Amino acid sequence: MSLDTFPIRRVDHVRFYVNNARQSAYYYKNAFGFDIVGFCGLETGQQNEVDYVVQQGDVRFVFSAPIRPGHEMGRLIGEHGDFVQDISFEVDDVDEAFKKAVDRGARPAREPFTLSDENGEVRLASIHTYGEVIHTFINRDNFKGRFLPNFKDMDEKGVPIGLKDVDHIVGNVELGKMNYWVDFYANVLGFEQIISFDDQDISTDYTALMSKVMANGNQKVKFPINEPAEGKKKSQIDEYLEFFGGAGVQHVALLTDDIVKTVTELRNRGVLFLHVPMTYYEEVPERVGAIDEDLETLAGLGILIDRDDEGYLLQLFTKPITDRPTLFYEIIQRKGAKSFGKGNFKALFEAIEREQELRGTL
Ligand code: FE2
């Protein structure tokens, strides 16, 4: 591993622009078991938008919504539906990170600035990445509050389901743009490519896509970047790009130490997952080898199993959680595997294609 030229501690939070932040927070509390921990809005002196902060383990999401007509956020939500607008990185030095990123070619979104209240101060700055997504650099070493200055603490507890952290966040970009954004993460943010999948790896009878996975220096931030590839029918990436209106975040993968418990809870709470045919499980023992879990239990919950050189992983995917067939979640448990396998793509994509067929968008 070469020298880390752009130290990033971790994903600090993921911000979503949504139509109704209050209802989003309620959904994530009741379906995914997040605690609602913070609020900013009219009652705290913020005049034009509201923010709700939810947390479980080290996963922190922020839901932001406009509360007046003519707001730019409203225009973006009208264009894209609810979407991931900011993947924020915790860094040691915000000013240095911003300067370095811009010097290396990043398009600035917000110059460095400070927010402060009686709990201290937080330094922030942002750069643009693909689509409407930004990366905010944040440092709250001199802040004693929960999230950001001027937020009111909330203590609406969810019933947790074992979500520990963000494992990876996937971006879908336009045809021919994958390598552009791979280079962006390599050259601007010092990421390294840890694996790539070509259209031979990731194809079904109908559709194909290409994917490269970029990771930061400490490997805590992993960003697969997908682009569509030529196939007989419209790929899921094309469907995303059409309904989203350009490049954007396709899915957020959430890490658990007990995927059986996590998925059982999610299913009980009404979260819908892609259907995996039972035939998938017939070939698992040969493809993956011995696993700790009971295969029948995994099959009953529709959990997929894959492996890399170092171990195996368990994962599954929700159906889109928005009205548009765009954003979904992955639940993942790692048993030694630090990267991604090839074995699940075909099963996953055939499952997605069955859904596309129902939507008439294949
Ligand atoms: Fe994923």
Side-chain angles (χ1 to χ4, degrees), residues 204-243:
T204 67
D205 290 344
Y206 297 119
T207 69
L209 68 81
M210 319 248 268
S211 185
K212 289 184 176 174
V213 183
M214 304 301 290
N216 77 320
N218 68 10
Q219 304 266 309
K220 282 188 68 107
V221 183
K222 296 191 193 80
F223 288 165
I225 314 277
N226 298 336
E227 72 174 8
E230 295 292 329
K232 280 186 216 150
K233 295 192 178 183
K234 187 191 286 184
S235 82
Q236 50 161 313
I237 312 301
D238 288 314
E239 184 194 37
Y240 178 99
L241 294 169
E242 177 187 334
F243 280 86

Side-chain angles (χ1 to χ4, degrees), residues 167-170 224 250-253 315 317 328 330 332 340:
D167 184 86
H168 60 275
I169 300 177
V170 180
Q250 179 208 40
H251 72 269
V252 178
Q315 60 186 164
F317 303 86
F328 61 88
E330 172 182 341
I332 182 167
F340 301 91

Side-chain angles (χ1 to χ4, degrees), residues 1-216:
M1 196 59 62
S2 55
L3 182 71
D4 186 358
T5 66
F6 203 104
I8 290 170
R9 293 179 185 173
R10 57 187 295 274
V11 171
D12 184 89
H13 65 274
V14 178
R15 183 185 294 268
F16 300 73
Y17 277 7
V18 298
N19 250 314
N20 191 324
R22 184 193 298 268
Q23 287 189 1
S24 290
Y26 181 86
Y27 171 74
Y28 281 82
K29 171 175 175 271
N30 288 285
F32 285 80
F34 283 84
D35 295 335
I36 303 175
V37 299
F39 170 81
C40 189
L42 289 174
E43 293 82 350
T44 65
Q46 179 165 266
Q47 293 299 313
N48 298 311
E49 59 251 4
V50 294
D51 305 290
Y52 283 84
V53 186
V54 305
Q55 178 130 19
Q56 183 172 174
D58 290 329
V59 185
R60 180 158 47 197
F61 291 160
V62 183
F63 303 102
S64 301
I67 55 171
R68 291 181 197 270
H71 196 299
E72 169 67 4
M73 288 169 74
R75 188 189 67 76
L76 289 170
I77 294 162
E79 181 71 13
H80 302 293
D82 293 0
F83 71 104
V84 171
Q85 182 265 343
D86 188 355
I87 304 165
S88 169
F89 298 134
E90 189 187 358
V91 297
D92 297 338
D93 186 328
V94 167
D95 293 73
E96 190 189 310
F98 179 78
K99 182 176 185 311
K100 196 182 276 186
V102 172
D103 284 350
R104 293 172 175 184
R107 188 159 62 94
R110 291 184 298 183
E111 298 280 328
F113 63 101
T114 300
L115 296 173
S116 59
D117 69 5
E118 67 276 9
N119 286 315
E121 58 181 46
V122 177
R123 189 80 171 154
L124 307 102
S126 308
I127 60 166
H128 288 278
T129 178
Y130 52 81
E132 299 290 348
V133 184
I134 64 172
H135 291 306
T136 293
F137 304 121
I138 185 166
N139 181 285
R140 59 166 69 77
D141 290 352
N142 297 317
F143 184 63
K144 290 194 285 291
R146 279 185 191 170
F147 179 58
L148 284 179
N150 306 312
F151 273 68
K152 181 180 84 166
D153 286 353
M154 289 180 72
D155 289 296
E156 288 189 24
K157 298 279 186 213
V159 179
I161 57 167
L163 300 177
K164 312 275 284 190
D165 209 343
V166 171
D167 184 86
H168 60 275
I169 300 177
V170 180
N172 282 347
V173 301
E174 298 89 346
L175 181 67
K177 285 291 175 64
M178 177 180 67
N179 284 327
Y180 175 90
W181 291 108
V182 163
D183 290 345
F184 169 86
Y185 282 103
N187 299 334
V188 174
L189 295 178
F191 282 41
E192 291 194 342
Q193 185 179 319
I194 56 172
I195 195 163
S196 80
F197 301 99
D198 63 23
D199 51 350
Q200 299 302 313
D201 299 322
I202 314 181
S203 65
T204 67
D205 290 344
Y206 297 119
T207 69
L209 68 81
M210 319 248 268
S211 185
K212 289 184 176 174
V213 183
M214 304 301 290
N216 77 320

